[in-house]
Amino acid sequence: MSTPLTWGTPHPERADAARNRQLLLTTARELIAADGPDCLTMDRLAERSGLGKGTVFRRFGTRAGIFQALLDDNERALQQEILSGSPPLGPGASPVDRLIAYGSARIRFLAENHEVARSAVEGRPTSGRRPPLSQIHIRVLLRELDLPGADVDLLAGQLTSALEGPLLLRLFDGPEVDGSALTDRFEAGWRYLVERVCVPAV
Amino acid sequence: MSTPLTWGTPHPERADAARNRQLLLTTARELIAADGPDCLTMDRLAERSGLGKGTVFRRFGTRAGIFQALLDDNERALQQEILSGSPPLGPGASPVDRLIAYGSARIRFLAENHEVARSAVEGRPTSGRRPPLSQIHIRVLLRELDLPGADVDLLAGQLTSALEGPLLLRLFDGPEVDGSALTDRFEAGWRYLVERVCVPAV
């Protein structure tokens, strides 16, 4: 299995395991850049990285696991901005402004990473998925809002699905993407939803 | 491919094709009842129904297609209630009340059909999915509400994902389901979301 990048509490990794992980991710990126994501297999990754198949298998579990690890690694910059970047994405803005900013950043992230995201999902069993970054961060911000009557854990799941589901369906399935028109539309839709859900009716 | 049950405009089907479809669905249900969904394969379905493998393949395309057809067939009763049942699920109530009632009915439907729903999703490519019943019906009701500033098509996708995504993740992945406590929670969460999104701030 890939080492989950646990959110907020980094998982310690032995130095050689960390080196192997970086080598595998770098090699995977090179293979994708050269031949596209469809040509990346466990066997090719093992061969090209010079590590054993067993190492690749233990590290990633499945082909989808390779892409999940790439996505996690790409996600780290976004995590860093949330934890210590400038507001409104980073700390220091109101929870509503941070929710809107997070959604915008996530939408652009998924639009840029949709080929990797797609391969991380395809063929993966429907069970055993861990809560995504979005759900964890959205839940934290919703707790700060203290919405009367809200089931915050469930609401975080609902908003995560609302943020990511339609965008991923569109990116995976729609006609060729015109990047900025698409992300503008989804960013506006996310802002609308957050304002309806989170700004108290006066 | 399975014949899509197009929503509102039934697709005409030749009598022998309709008979074969019913035979295949009935046989699939018997096999699932006897041995569980994991044992249902294209080959077993062909053998047990006495129809050729080619017929099963043309009808369903993939194993997941069998389960999608079962889900569509089970969904017909729900469609019928929406089209001509009593309010608030059927016509005659306000759009907000109909949205809440539809979500409750859909939550109970998915809780009852989650094994079939899971097998309909597993192994299916992430592209080529058609808009689900939920999205079509939610969009119709949102249009009636005439929400100022809303991107109704996108909002329908967001609410569909919010309604179905967290529930399906929970049903596929969570601990053994205590049916009514689970559906009560999701029904309350859906009502909360609809009221926040759709009831205008005064």
Side-chain angles (χ1 to χ4, degrees), chain B residues 112-154:
Chain B
E112 280 161 23
N113 288 273
H114 74 273
E115 286 196 321
V116 171
R118 179 184 193 144
S119 298
V121 170
E122 271 184 342
R124 190 164 57 165
T126 49
S127 59
R129 302 186 184 178
R130 64 204 158 72
L133 171 62
S134 291
Q135 188 161 344
I136 297 166
H137 186 51
I138 288 170
R139 188 167 50 209
V140 167
L141 295 173
L142 288 176
R143 286 222 177 97
E144 291 178 27
L145 279 168
D146 203 17
L147 295 167
D151 179 339
V152 170
D153 286 347
L154 179 51

Side-chain angles (χ1 to χ4, degrees), chain A residues 128 151 173 185 196-197 202, chain B residues 122 128 151 173 185 196-197 202:
Chain A
D151 179 339
D173 207 15
R185 183 180 177 197
R196 299 295 298 200
V197 171
V202 184
Chain B
E122 271 184 342
D151 179 339
D173 206 15
R185 183 180 177 197
R196 299 295 297 200
V197 171
V202 184

Side-chain angles (χ1 to χ4, degrees), chain A residues 1-83:
Chain A
M1 296 298 289
S2 69
T3 302
L5 285 169
T6 45
W7 174 234
T9 52
H11 188 71
E13 197 175 25
R14 276 173 43 187
D16 56 343
R19 262 197 313 275
N20 279 352
R21 187 166 66 79
Q22 272 314 319
L23 172 61
L24 287 166
L25 293 179
T26 303
T27 309
R29 288 198 181 95
E30 288 167 2
L31 287 167
I32 291 169
D35 302 320
D38 292 347
C39 296
L40 179 61
T41 62
M42 305 279 267
D43 283 350
R44 280 200 75 196
L45 182 57
E47 185 192 73
R48 197 65 82 88
S49 64
L51 296 173
K53 279 190 201 177
T55 304
V56 176
F57 186 82
R58 276 192 304 279
R59 169 63 71 178
F60 298 122
T62 63
R63 179 177 178 277
I66 302 171
F67 288 93
Q68 185 61 54
L70 284 170
L71 200 64
D72 289 340
D73 201 59
N74 295 350
E75 219 170 46
R76 274 209 270 201
L78 181 56
Q79 287 190 10
Q80 218 40 60
E81 287 188 75
I82 292 165
L83 289 171

